[in-house]
Amino acid sequence: MSASALEQGEDAFRKIFRLYRKKNPPADLSGVLEFRSGESRLRSAELRVNAVSDQDAGRVGLQPLGFLFIVNPFLPGWQHRWVRQCLKLYPRKPNVCNLDLHMSLESGRDLWDHSHAQLRKKSPRRRSEKTLLEKLRWVTLGFHYNWDTKKYYREHQSPFPVDLAELSRCVSLACGFPNFRAEAGILNYYHMDSSLGIHVDESELDHGSPLLSFSFGQSSIFLLGGLSRDVAPTPMLMHSGDIMVMSGASRLLYHAVPRILHYPGGGVLPPCLSVPPSNDGPNALIEPCAAADWEVCQAYLQSSRINMTVRRVLAEGGSFPEEDADTQHEAAMRGHGYHTENNETQEATQAHGYHREQ
Ligand code: OGA
Ligand code: MN
């Protein structure tokens, strides 16, 4: 990498990011890891409840688990329920989303109420005006991530959804992380032209816990790099239902999503008619997705991808650094639609939390 290229920001990661971001002509995908292919480079692992912890592995000289990729472990019909939660439930108060300014104008109605009829009615191509649901870019849960300051604040918190906390507990436990606690969630909503810039998730005060990532809907290319942007990233395909666990040494690696793509057999969930009758045990935490709700979700997912990341923010017994409470409160409120920026600016600056790479 020459010094001048670096000056222009053309590091090894960005070079690959731009390669896969390109649509015309689209990048050759033959070098992208496809975990479903059974390629010999990949060691596959089933999600097992007795998985060993990194600590235990270390005691007998096994390499730590690091980055884990779990090919869709959801039972038939259950991805639908999580998608419905992401579109109908999680954007509601007290959770925070990029459209909070709009929502306050529409008192009493939520995003779903506002958009579902429209979404069901027309195909995306025939709709000129985007519904509010289609303008949703992010939702934060638990300790609300502040996009401006890139911090979490003790004062800016709402109860973490019990169902998602439990899903996270089960997955982390099954991967050998019994101490994981779901304290913050960032839900990203992508459309076919969206991307997620190159970043490291380092705002959490504890990096000893893994970061869990759940993907639904259309497929994407995920780039996993190194500790510096000078390390060229590995491209991999992520499909609906897939789960990634960034743990151990992989927790602070650079990563990005340059492309969302229609991948044959990848992102498409069965239509509402084939949502199987519930395969619930007696204590299912979330109810089946009703056929009428699924019609809305399905219309939305035709050209969208949803990603939920769940994080632990504080170490065991840890607390937020002592700052002046007023400063904290003020900072917590900034960047969340409580100030008087106009909608256009608000949308432009916060449409995607992470800035877009060209
Ligand atoms: C994130 C993130 C990846 C994805 O939200 O921090 O890296 O697959 N998401 O959307
Ligand atoms: Mn991330």
Side-chain angles (χ1 to χ4, degrees), residues 231-248:
V231 177
T234 302
M236 49 190 92
L237 276 163
M238 218 189 296
H239 301 304
S240 196
D242 290 347
I243 303 176
M244 274 175 10
V245 180
M246 292 177 79
S247 69

Side-chain angles (χ1 to χ4, degrees), residues 101 148 334-350:
L101 210 63
D148 287 350
R334 233 186 302 128
H336 284 297
Y338 294 95
H339 57 125
T340 54
E341 256 185 302
N342 73 37
N343 298 356
E344 254 48 64
T345 319
Q346 179 89 6
E347 260 186 66
T349 54
Q350 298 192 4

Side-chain angles (χ1 to χ4, degrees), residues 183 202-210 251 312-316:
E183 292 180 330
E202 57 190 356
S203 302
E204 295 72 29
L205 299 171
D206 171 40
H207 299 143
S209 277
R251 177 64 181 76
R312 180 169 179 175
V313 174
L314 297 170
E316 202 70 48

Side-chain angles (χ1 to χ4, degrees), residues 80-122:
H80 305 66
R81 302 185 197 197
W82 291 107
V83 168
R84 193 260 333 267
Q85 299 300 78
C86 287
L87 293 177
K88 188 173 180 177
L89 206 74
Y90 298 154
R92 285 185 189 156
K93 296 288 113 213
N95 304 331
V96 174
C97 78
N98 67 302
L99 299 175
D100 282 341
L101 210 63
H102 292 266
M103 310 273 282
S104 60
L105 300 175
E106 303 264 342
S107 62
R109 292 180 83 196
D110 67 21
L111 268 182
W112 180 271
D113 290 342
H114 199 278
S115 310
H116 71 95
Q118 272 295 100
L119 260 168
R120 259 164 80 183
K121 241 185 335 209
K122 297 178 192 161

Side-chain angles (χ1 to χ4, degrees), residues 18-85:
R18 285 158 62 99
L19 173 77
Y20 287 108
R21 172 103 189 99
K22 216 162 143 195
K23 280 195 166 162
N24 285 315
D28 170 13
L29 299 188
S30 58
V32 180
L33 287 182
E34 163 64 297
F35 289 96
R36 284 163 172 76
S37 70
E39 246 188 83
S40 57
R41 274 193 290 170
L42 309 169
R43 276 182 305 141
S44 63
E46 298 279 302
L47 188 64
R48 271 173 295 126
V49 271
N50 296 322
V52 66
S53 71
D54 278 7
Q55 254 171 348
D56 287 352
R59 288 167 55 202
V60 292
L62 291 172
Q63 67 179 13
L65 294 170
F67 178 79
L68 304 178
F69 191 102
I70 301 157
V71 171
N72 174 23
F74 291 97
L75 288 168
W78 278 80
Q79 283 192 58
H80 305 66
R81 302 185 197 197
W82 291 107
V83 168
R84 193 260 333 267
Q85 299 300 78

Side-chain angles (χ1 to χ4, degrees), residues 222-298:
F222 181 80
L223 299 179
L224 182 65
L227 288 170
S228 114
R229 287 175 55 145
D230 293 328
V231 177
T234 302
M236 49 190 92
L237 276 163
M238 218 189 296
H239 301 304
S240 196
D242 290 347
I243 303 176
M244 274 175 10
V245 180
M246 292 177 79
S247 69
S250 77
R251 177 64 181 76
L252 294 174
L253 298 183
Y254 276 95
H255 57 280
V257 179
R259 266 291 291 289
I260 308 299
L261 68 173
H262 294 293
Y263 193 85
V268 194
L269 288 166
C272 65
L273 285 177
S274 54
V275 173
S278 105
N279 40 23
D280 293 353
N283 305 314
L285 265 189
I286 44 178
E287 34 176 277
C289 181
D293 283 355
W294 183 245
E295 266 182 59
V296 180
C297 296
Q298 199 181 26

